[in-house]
């Protein structure tokens, strides 16, 4: 008999991914510069991380900066990179102490040497932690990631280490930046926008999507809980008829 895909039921999602959107609108509504929204957004990251830990989520992926966000004014990009630097310097000890493993996915080389060094050091320091897997997507784009996987696989074929017949979905996934990380069960986007904006395109094939109007700097543990509750009411069918 064929296995019946389980419904979400009361099970919490293993992997929650969040498109953290709305910092600029949060600031604009208060007559503040966009950077003020990004700074308050960093506080929301802390709340999401603590909340995820308390709610028993094993994998949390946060979309922090897309490949397309490089189009923004240099001052805004610099401010975001500065925030990231401060976050990595100040919070890594605490992340490590609380059992968080950090991974960063994206076009790392575009981030600048000092950030790349900080990221690599943070990843190495936390590599053995298992309580919560935090992945931060920086200079990340799903299409770019898929194209990169295709280039890597093509190189393997050219070198004679793989044959075209061996290229199937599980193999392809091993060449993505998320190799070893389960697919997201739940993708949340804040700010009221209802789009994916190039986030985890391959991995979200069967993710449940929850869009909420809350602007990212206002995001709380309760919002995370609400999204999880909504997820638990969904019936995941994966294409099967039931
Ligand atoms: C999300 O907030 C943060 C990043 C994309 C870096 P935005 O800066 O996109 O805020 P809005 O969408 O303009 O309100
Ligand atoms: C998506 O938000 C990227 C992040 C949240 C990091 P954007 O604000 O860049 O997306 P669009 O431009 O509204 O699609
Ligand atoms: Mg936005």
């Amino acid at each position: 008999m064929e296995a019946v895909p389980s419904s979400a039921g009361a099970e919490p999602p293993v992997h929650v991914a969040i498109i953290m959107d709305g910092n600029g609108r949060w600031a604009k509504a208060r007559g503040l510069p966009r950077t003020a929204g990004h700074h308050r957004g960093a506080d929301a990251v802390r709340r999401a991380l603590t909340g995820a830990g308390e709610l028993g989520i094993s994998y949390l992926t946060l979309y922090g900066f897309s490949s397309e966000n490089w189009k923004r004014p240099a001052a805004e990009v610099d401010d975001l990179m500065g925030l990231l630097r401060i976050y990595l310097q100040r919070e890594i000890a605490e992340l490590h102490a609380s059992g968080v493993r950090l991974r960063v996915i994206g076009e790392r080389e575009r981030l600048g040497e000092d950030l790349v060094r900080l990221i690599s050091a943070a990843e190495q320091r936390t590599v053995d932690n298992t309580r919560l897997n935090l992945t931060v997507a920086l200079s990340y784009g799903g299409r770019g990631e898929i194209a990169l996987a295709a280039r890597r696989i093509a190189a393997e074929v050219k070198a004679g280490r793989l044959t075209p017949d061996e290229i199937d979905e599980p193999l392809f996934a091993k060449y993505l930046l998320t190799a070893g990380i389960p697919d997201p069960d739940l993708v949340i986007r804040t700010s009221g926008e209802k789009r994916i904006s190039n986030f985890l395109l391959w991995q979200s094939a069967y993710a449940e999507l929850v869009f909420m109007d809350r602007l990212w700097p206002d995001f709380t543990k309760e919002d995370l809980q609400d999204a999880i509750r909504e997820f638990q009411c969904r019936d995941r069918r994966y294409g099967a008829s039931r």
Side-chain angles (χ1 to χ4, degrees), residues 17-38:
I18 309 181
I19 303 172
M20 310 183 289
D21 197 18
N23 294 352
R25 277 162 282 172
W26 184 93
K28 194 172 176 205
R30 287 160 182 78
L32 297 168
R34 294 178 64 83
T35 54
H38 296 317

Side-chain angles (χ1 to χ4, degrees), residues 20-25 34 69 72 189 191 193 195:
M20 310 183 289
D21 197 18
N23 294 352
R25 277 162 282 172
R34 294 178 64 83
N69 288 148
R72 295 189 179 195
R189 182 172 189 145
S191 90
E193 306 297 351
R195 54 178 171 261

Side-chain angles (χ1 to χ4, degrees), residues 66-199:
S66 74
S67 317
E68 289 73 29
N69 288 148
W70 291 110
K71 292 182 215 160
R72 295 189 179 195
E76 184 177 350
V77 171
D78 286 351
D79 188 68
L80 281 164
M81 295 301 148
L83 261 180
L84 189 62
R85 194 171 296 115
I86 292 172
Y87 192 90
L88 282 169
Q89 285 165 338
R90 286 204 195 140
E91 319 242 340
I92 195 62
E94 201 180 317
L95 288 183
H96 184 44
S98 52
V100 174
R101 175 175 181 180
L102 176 77
R103 290 180 180 91
V104 172
I105 54 170
E107 310 152 295
R108 189 175 294 209
E109 51 297 337
R110 288 185 77 179
L111 295 174
E113 250 178 70
D114 61 329
L115 263 178
V116 170
R117 256 198 308 274
L118 275 173
I119 290 168
S120 303
E123 285 179 331
Q124 276 161 30
R125 185 166 173 191
T126 61
V127 71
D128 293 323
N129 294 342
T130 53
R131 201 175 74 85
L132 176 64
N133 288 276
L134 171 66
T135 303
V136 184
L138 296 174
S139 188
Y140 172 87
R143 286 185 171 184
E145 179 191 34
I146 291 168
L148 173 66
R151 279 199 300 283
R152 287 174 167 176
I153 291 169
E156 294 284 79
V157 172
K158 194 174 173 199
R161 287 190 290 266
L162 266 183
T163 65
D165 288 348
E166 289 175 290
I167 305 169
D168 57 9
E169 292 177 21
L171 180 123
F172 199 92
K174 286 189 187 131
Y175 287 84
L176 293 168
L177 301 170
T178 51
I181 299 173
D183 286 343
D185 301 292
L186 167 63
V187 174
I188 301 169
R189 182 172 189 145
T190 57
S191 90
E193 306 297 351
K194 294 178 180 66
R195 54 178 171 261
I196 290 298
S197 300
N198 208 8
F199 188 45

Side-chain angles (χ1 to χ4, degrees), residues 59-70:
Y59 291 83
L60 178 69
T61 298
L62 301 175
Y63 202 8
F65 192 85
S66 74
S67 317
E68 289 73 29
N69 288 148
W70 291 110

